[in-house]
């Protein structure tokens, strides 16, 4: 496959590739219709790991497939994976932030119940392992991932291009410890690495966020950063099972050498953060 163009919005899906094994499903949660797609590789064995990938705002699961370069699907047969792409209710996930109103928050959408129902379905129908469930989220999907660290659903969580909402800007506290990897770009203009107010296109604040360093320390339950390991394109910090990847260049994108993102979001650093996340999920 050549260079993959990541669509900017759900009305521009012409280039998205749908492989054999891609399924779509509708569930009804508290009277609300919720949609998700998933990928089942040939020869799936019982006990498969389940990996959820949550898209950013104004996107959907199909865009998240392209944003991760279809790589989880490509590795699914070898790694025995079920790959899941849920769709948000309206343009945003109900991610626990208090900084703005949107349809999912106004309707008090229960995202945790939605994800638990998907897990139950995949375990019942395909023999997935309910103790080997993982989450990756980009931007607004990553904000949902911070909240999901407290859910007990996921064994490990990967977060791209998002910081932890400040304490006054979220409806949950950090009481449980779920291992995370955070991959943030220092040049991200949409979610600034240094934190502060997240500004919308209308110039209004969407609430305050901690810096990336503060987010990592709080989620890791530490007070000081460890000594980093410097790579050519990023700096790596490790605290027990938790990892922070500080990307030196690139915008509000998932780093990958084979994807092209909308100019509004910026360019991506040319290293494979998808494989990095899978290694993290595998404990390497």
């Amino acid at each position: 496959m050549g260079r993959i163009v990541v669509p900017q919005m759900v009305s521009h899906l012409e280039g998205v590739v749908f492989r054999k094994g891609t399924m779509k499903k509708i569930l009804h949660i508290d009277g609300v219709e919720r949609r998700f797609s998933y990928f089942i590789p040939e020869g799936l064995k019982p006990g498969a790991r389940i990996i959820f990938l949550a898209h950013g705002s104004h996107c959907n699961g199909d865009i998240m497939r392209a944003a991760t370069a279809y790589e989880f699907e490509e590795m699914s047969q070898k790694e025995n994976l079920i790959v899941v792409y849920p769709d948000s209710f309206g343009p945003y996930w109900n991610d626990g932030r208090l900084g703005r109103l949107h349809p999912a928050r106004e309707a008090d959408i229960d995202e945790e119940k939605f994800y638990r129902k998907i897990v139950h379905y995949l375990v019942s129908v395909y023999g997935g392992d309910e103790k080997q469930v993982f989450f990756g989220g980009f931007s607004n999907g990553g904000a949902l991932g911070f909240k999901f660290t407290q859910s007990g659903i996921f064994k490990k969580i990967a977060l791209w291009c998002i910081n932890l909402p400040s304490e006054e800007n979220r409806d949950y506290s950090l009481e449980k410890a779920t291992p995370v990897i955070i991959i943030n770009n220092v040049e991200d203009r949409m979610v600034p690495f240094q934190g502060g107010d997240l500004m919308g296109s209308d110039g209004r604040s969407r609430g305050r966020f901690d810096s990336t360093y503060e987010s990592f320390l709080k989620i890791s339950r530490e007070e000081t950063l460890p000594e980093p390991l410097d790579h050519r394109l990023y700096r790596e910090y490790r605290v027990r099972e938790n990892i922070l990847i500080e990307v030196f260049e690139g915008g509000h994108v998932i780093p990958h050498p084979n994807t092209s993102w909308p100019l509004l979001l910026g360019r991506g650093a040319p290293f494979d953060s998808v494989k990095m996340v899978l290694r993290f999920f595998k404990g390497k």
Side-chain angles (χ1 to χ4, degrees):
M1 184 180 293
R3 197 154 188 83
I4 298 163
V5 177
V6 180
Q8 184 169 345
M9 57 188 67
V10 295
S11 58
H12 296 81
L13 298 178
E14 295 84 358
V16 174
V17 176
F18 294 92
R19 290 180 170 83
K20 179 182 179 182
T22 302
M23 314 284 188
K24 291 187 178 287
K25 178 76 175 174
I26 296 174
L27 296 175
H28 290 87
I29 312 294
D30 298 328
V32 177
E33 185 178 280
R34 301 299 304 271
R35 298 173 180 268
F36 68 98
S37 60
Y38 59 101
F39 183 80
I40 301 294
E42 292 185 12
L44 184 75
K45 302 177 182 64
R49 283 174 290 167
I50 302 170
I51 295 179
F52 284 86
L53 297 168
H55 61 78
S57 61
H58 295 278
C59 296
N60 66 5
D62 292 335
I63 292 178
M64 192 62 177
R65 297 175 65 242
T68 50
Y70 310 102
E71 197 161 359
F72 286 102
E73 296 174 19
E74 292 175 358
M75 295 185 287
S76 61
Q77 186 171 26
K78 176 184 177 183
E79 301 290 346
N80 201 38
L81 307 175
I82 300 172
V83 190
V84 192
Y85 306 94
D87 288 344
S88 60
F89 177 84
Y92 298 95
W93 299 100
N94 190 16
D95 59 16
R97 285 184 289 170
L98 302 176
R100 70 167 300 179
L101 282 175
H102 51 74
R105 184 178 165 203
E106 289 176 326
D108 196 23
I109 293 297
D110 191 333
E111 305 290 11
E112 183 175 329
K113 184 180 288 188
F114 176 40
Y115 278 71
R116 288 188 184 276
K117 289 280 189 180
I118 297 174
V119 171
H120 177 75
Y121 171 77
L122 296 173
V123 170
S124 301
V125 176
Y126 297 100
D129 187 345
E130 64 182 351
K131 295 182 179 179
Q132 294 287 323
V133 182
F134 303 85
F135 179 94
F138 167 68
S139 191
N140 177 217
L144 179 63
F146 271 119
K147 183 170 184 175
F148 275 166
T149 62
Q150 306 304 298
S151 70
I153 303 173
F154 303 100
K155 187 173 181 179
K156 292 184 177 181
I157 287 177
L159 309 169
W160 286 281
C161 301
I162 194 65
N163 290 328
L164 178 69
S166 299
E167 190 171 356
E168 71 278 5
N169 187 31
R170 49 182 159 90
D171 64 5
Y172 59 93
S173 57
L174 301 178
E175 298 175 356
K176 298 179 181 178
T178 302
V180 302
I181 181 171
I182 301 173
I183 303 173
N184 281 357
N185 300 310
V186 297
E187 296 178 356
D188 191 332
R189 292 177 294 178
M190 300 190 73
V191 178
F193 193 89
Q194 67 272 19
D197 283 292
L198 181 64
M199 307 304 293
S201 58
D202 58 1
R204 298 173 61 186
S205 173
R206 302 301 190 234
R208 290 190 63 80
F209 283 74
D210 293 334
S211 72
T212 296
Y213 292 152
E214 291 170 331
S215 301
F216 181 65
L217 290 173
K218 287 181 180 179
I219 212 74
S220 303
R221 300 170 183 262
E222 289 290 336
E223 295 185 359
T224 58
L225 284 172
E227 286 296 316
L229 178 64
D230 282 334
H231 302 265
R232 185 172 64 88
L233 298 173
Y234 59 88
R235 181 173 291 134
E236 177 181 352
Y237 300 85
R238 287 181 177 259
V239 175
R240 296 179 296 280
E241 292 186 271
N242 303 290
I243 303 172
L244 168 61
I245 302 297
E246 177 184 350
V247 185
F248 297 145
E249 61 179 46
H252 193 68
V253 303
I254 296 174
H256 196 281
N258 297 331
T259 54
S260 293
W261 289 69
L263 291 177
L264 175 67
L265 300 180
R267 58 196 175 92
F271 72 92
D272 193 338
S273 68
V274 176
K275 278 193 171 69
M276 181 182 289
V277 165
L278 184 58
R279 289 196 299 271
F280 169 71
F281 287 163
K282 293 171 67 177
K284 297 183 178 180

